[in-house]
């Protein structure tokens, strides 16, 4: 019954079947067998080579079986095993971890391929082992890879504990009916909207603003048609539009004759615009995220000279004023900004540092940082495995963030990664079928993600779309859009459909279409 519990848990969560037995030898540390209640330290054990003070086996307190491993037995130590996966295949690494009871610092780092993370918990108040299972999805890069566990805690001869280490190939299930979908025409806008915004209103309509003019338009899902509403006070593109708690829309910055410091608010009940206070710093190509307590965070982008900005500022809706907040660690444009599920925090990833229109390797960032609204400060949070610019990100239903595309032309721009806000770590996940930048990602009602459109020099402008299944970490094909487009907008409607609007295209740049996933009426 050594692995019955973990297998049951995986199946109950709806994860795919695992192709074969674990590639890890002696992952339960049952060899060499010790008398119950005893412990001993070895330089190596079957399957594992030790480094430093050795590998301590304890024949008590196990999660499964009867034995566990402790690192930092007589000082800092590590252990590793060479495994032999299939290059390109997706694997699930599962590790059971417990802090040492009575010990505060129990850090153990885990390294395997693109995965580099740390297991940590405070055991100072524990009277016995307290096990948690950690699982990671990793795509194999070579036919021979090293799995490493290293004690990184204070050297006090008391370290964290490991049990039931498994590495199993994930078998892709068929996409089935959930992978199906279709795109249908949704009317054409009256004005040209490029580098525009499209914002879901509280009543279910969508407001499109900007793009080489002052015309603003409303899309009605009920009629699948666009109607003109009041004009903005100035021409805008590369601006932001944020739905406020009171149902109005805050539009900020962008291009008129240059990077703009102006902002205005749209009232959907009357269809009119009201100009409000000026930004501390004129900017375009920035990001905006609504925070709690009637605040909106605006940050990054470029100024009039094209210089990338690290500055950030907050709009206080009640007081109608802008004021500066903490600066990002890096100046950036062409980045992503995602409001995290917990804690009034915002994740920023990648971006370019110059005026270029794509990631060329040296001009784009692999860094990520999180803004904490409670402190007004930014904190680095690991690094992407792939430097990116003009990529896309979306919040998954499980609280993780999926980041895709936007790297060098070709295969690198098909790569995808997941951010876990609970651990502050990144792991690779399945590659998209096509390399993309300036595409959109939309999280659907069932938790899947729609990737639509985009561009890559190796493919040209995409009309293709694909669906990401977070349970398998794999991408499934779905219906193509009605035409190619990039730098369009994607808005998830209240009924679960996705409105795709305008964008650069070799076809009409006035069209929109709606994606409907299988199962929706």
């Amino acid at each position: 019954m050594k692995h019955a519990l973990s297998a049951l848990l995986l199946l109950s969560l709806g994860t795919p079947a695992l192709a074969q037995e674990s590639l890890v030898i002696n992952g339960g540390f049952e060899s060499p067998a010790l008398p119950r209640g005893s412990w001993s330290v070895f330089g190596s054990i079957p399957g594992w080579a030790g480094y430093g003070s050795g590998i301590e086996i304890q024949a008590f307190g196990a999660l499964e079986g009867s034995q566990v491993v402790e690192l930092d037995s007589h000082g800092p130590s590590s252990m590793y095993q060479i495994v032999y996966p299939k290059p390109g295949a997706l694997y699930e690494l599962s590790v059971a971890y417990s802090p040492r009871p009575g010990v505060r610092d129990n850090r153990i780092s885990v390294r395997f391929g693109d995965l580099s993370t740390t297991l940590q918990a405070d055991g100072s108040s524990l009277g016995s082992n307290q096990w948690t299972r950690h699982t990671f999805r990793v795509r194999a890069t070579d036919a021979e890879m090293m799995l490493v566990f290293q004690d990184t805690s204070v050297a006090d001869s008391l370290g964290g504990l490991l049990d039931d280490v498994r590495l199993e190939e994930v078998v892709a299930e068929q996409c089935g009916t959930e992978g199906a979908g279709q795109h249908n025409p949704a009317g054409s806008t009256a004005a040209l909207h490029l580098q525009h915004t499209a914002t879901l209103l509280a009543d279910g309509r969508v407001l499109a603003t900007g793009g080489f003019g002052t015309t603003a338009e409303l899309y009605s899902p009920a009629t699948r048609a666009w109607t003109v509403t009041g004009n903005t006070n100035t021409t805008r593109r590369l601006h932001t539009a944020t739905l406020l708690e009171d149902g109005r829309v805050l539009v900020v910055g962008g291009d008129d004759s240059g990077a703009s410091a102006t902002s205005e608010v749209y009232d959907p009940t009357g269809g009119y615009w009201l100009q409000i206070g000026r930004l501390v710093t004129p900017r375009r190509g920035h990001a905006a995220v609504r925070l709690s307590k009637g605040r909106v965070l605006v940050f990054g982008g470029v100024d009039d000279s094209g210089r990338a900005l690290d500055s950030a500022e907050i709009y206080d809706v009640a007081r109608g004023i802008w004021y500066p907040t903490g600066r990002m660690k890096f100046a950036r444009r062409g980045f992503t900004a995602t409001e995290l599920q917990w804690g009034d925090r915002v994740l920023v990833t990648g971006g370019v540092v110059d005026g270029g229109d794509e990631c060329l390797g040296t001009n784009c960032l692999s860094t990520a940082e999180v803004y904490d609204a409670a402190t007004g400060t930014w904190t680095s949070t690991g690094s992407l495995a792939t430097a990116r610019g003009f990529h896309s990100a979306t919040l998954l239903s499980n609280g993780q963030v999926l980041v895709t595309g936007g790297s060098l032309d070709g295969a690198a721009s098909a790569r995808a990664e997941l951010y876990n806000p609970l651990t502050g770590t990144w792991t690779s996940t399945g590659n998209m079928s096509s390399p993309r930048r300036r595409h959109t990602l939309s999280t659907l009602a069932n938790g899947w993600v729609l990737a639509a459109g985009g561009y890559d020099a190796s493919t040209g402008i995409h009309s293709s779309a694909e669906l990401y299944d977070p349970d398998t970490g794999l991408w499934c094909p779905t219906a193509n859009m009605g035409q190619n487009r990039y730098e369009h907008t994607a808005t998830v409607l209240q009924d679960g459909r996705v409105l795709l609007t305008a964008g650069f295209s070799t076809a009409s740049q006035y069209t929109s279409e709606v994606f409907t996933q299988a199962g929706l009426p």
Side-chain angles (χ1 to χ4, degrees):
M1 299 298 291
K2 173 72 178 174
H3 304 295
L5 177 61
S6 56
L8 179 61
L9 287 172
L10 287 171
L11 291 173
S12 69
L13 291 172
T15 53
L18 299 173
Q20 53 187 277
E21 285 300 309
S22 172
L23 298 186
V24 174
I25 298 171
N26 195 24
F29 312 113
E30 300 302 309
S31 178
L34 300 182
R36 284 190 177 275
S38 66
W39 61 273
S40 188
V41 179
F42 302 87
S44 62
I45 60 176
W48 299 93
Y51 181 80
S53 63
I55 304 169
E56 178 177 321
I57 290 184
Q58 299 176 355
F60 49 87
L63 173 66
E64 297 186 11
S66 59
Q67 299 188 166
V68 305
V69 153
E70 178 188 1
L71 297 179
D72 191 17
S73 177
H74 296 296
S77 60
S78 61
M79 64 183 188
Y80 68 89
Q81 182 170 145
I82 304 297
V83 295
Y84 302 92
K86 300 174 185 176
L90 184 68
Y91 287 83
E92 182 171 272
L93 173 63
S94 176
V95 182
Y97 164 81
S98 173
R100 174 74 177 253
V103 178
R104 183 187 62 81
D105 189 358
N106 296 272
R107 288 169 292 165
I108 295 178
S109 71
V110 185
R111 299 192 301 277
F112 180 67
D114 290 340
L115 172 67
S116 179
T117 189
T118 298
L119 308 177
Q120 161 66 356
D122 185 350
S124 57
S125 63
L126 298 179
S128 61
N129 294 347
Q130 186 174 88
W131 293 98
T132 56
R133 187 175 296 280
H134 302 261
T135 58
F136 311 94
R137 292 287 172 90
V138 183
R139 191 163 297 280
T141 54
D142 298 288
E144 182 178 302
M145 298 177 66
M146 182 180 292
L147 172 61
V148 181
F149 294 95
Q150 181 179 6
D151 170 69
T152 55
S153 64
V154 174
D156 55 6
S157 299
L158 301 170
L161 307 171
L162 299 172
D163 193 8
D164 197 31
V165 177
R166 301 177 61 79
L167 182 67
E168 299 169 312
E169 184 184 356
V170 176
V171 178
E173 294 177 331
Q174 292 184 349
C175 292
T177 57
E178 286 189 292
Q182 59 182 351
H183 290 85
N184 294 303
S188 295
T189 57
L192 181 64
H193 295 288
L194 296 174
Q195 298 177 326
H196 60 290
T197 58
T199 309
L200 181 68
L201 303 179
D203 62 8
R205 294 179 297 170
V206 176
L207 173 69
T209 65
F212 300 93
T214 60
T215 302
E217 304 186 52
L218 292 169
Y219 175 77
S220 169
T223 62
R224 295 200 174 189
W226 292 89
T227 56
V228 173
T229 187
N231 289 353
T232 57
N233 287 291
T234 185
T235 300
R236 298 183 189 276
R237 60 192 178 97
L238 297 173
H239 55 291
T240 56
T242 307
L243 181 69
L244 301 178
E245 293 175 358
D246 61 10
R248 297 181 300 161
V249 178
L250 172 67
V251 171
V252 175
D255 269 328
D256 42 24
S257 58
S260 175
T262 65
S263 58
E264 52 190 306
V265 170
Y266 175 75
D267 187 337
T269 59
Y272 62 86
W273 294 86
L274 176 65
Q275 197 136 9
I276 56 174
R278 295 178 66 84
L279 293 163
V280 176
T281 303
R283 61 183 78 228
R284 59 186 172 88
H286 53 284
V289 176
R290 190 178 85 186
L291 304 174
S292 65
K293 301 177 181 177
R295 297 168 298 166
V296 177
L297 174 69
V298 171
F299 50 101
V302 296
D303 62 13
D304 248 345
S305 68
R307 178 178 62 92
L309 298 170
D310 62 0
S311 63
E313 49 194 291
I314 287 178
Y315 180 67
D316 186 314
V317 177
R319 295 189 291 166
I321 62 169
W322 291 93
Y323 60 90
T325 187
R327 292 179 175 271
M328 292 188 289
K329 303 289 185 183
F330 294 88
R332 53 182 98 213
R333 58 182 284 265
F335 58 95
T336 65
T338 309
E339 182 183 7
L340 298 177
Q341 204 169 65
W342 308 286
D344 214 12
R345 299 183 301 151
V346 179
L347 172 70
V348 168
T349 72
V352 296
V353 298
D354 60 11
D357 290 328
E358 61 181 297
C359 175
L360 301 174
T362 56
N363 70 330
C364 48
L365 299 170
S366 61
T367 61
E369 47 191 302
V370 169
Y371 178 79
D372 186 338
T375 62
T377 58
W378 297 85
T379 304
S380 298
T381 182
S383 291
L384 298 157
T386 301
R388 303 176 188 270
F390 303 103
H391 49 300
S392 289
T394 189
L395 180 70
L396 302 181
S397 56
N398 62 6
Q400 296 190 55
V401 178
L402 173 68
V403 176
T404 71
S407 188
L408 299 174
D409 283 318
S413 280
R415 294 174 186 158
E417 304 180 54
L418 290 170
Y419 175 74
N420 185 336
L422 298 179
T423 61
T425 56
W426 293 90
T427 56
S428 60
T429 188
N431 292 348
M432 293 187 292
S433 300
S434 300
R436 305 175 190 269
R437 66 174 180 268
R438 299 179 187 269
H439 57 294
T440 55
L441 292 180
S442 306
T443 300
L444 306 177
N446 70 340
W448 289 40
V449 176
L450 172 70
Y455 173 85
D456 191 82
S458 66
T459 60
I461 306 175
H462 285 290
S463 61
S464 67
E466 50 190 302
L467 289 167
Y468 176 76
D469 180 354
D471 286 339
T472 64
L474 300 176
W475 294 84
C476 297
T478 191
N480 284 354
M481 296 185 293
Q483 65 175 67
N484 61 22
R485 58 180 89 228
Y486 74 92
E487 216 165 334
H488 53 288
T489 53
T491 310
V492 180
L493 304 176
Q494 289 180 343
D495 63 4
R497 304 171 201 269
V498 181
L499 175 67
L500 304 160
T501 305
F504 293 93
S505 176
T506 57
S508 172
Q509 298 181 140
Y510 292 79
T511 65
S512 62
E513 53 191 297
V514 168
F515 173 78
T516 304
Q517 194 174 16
L520 290 178

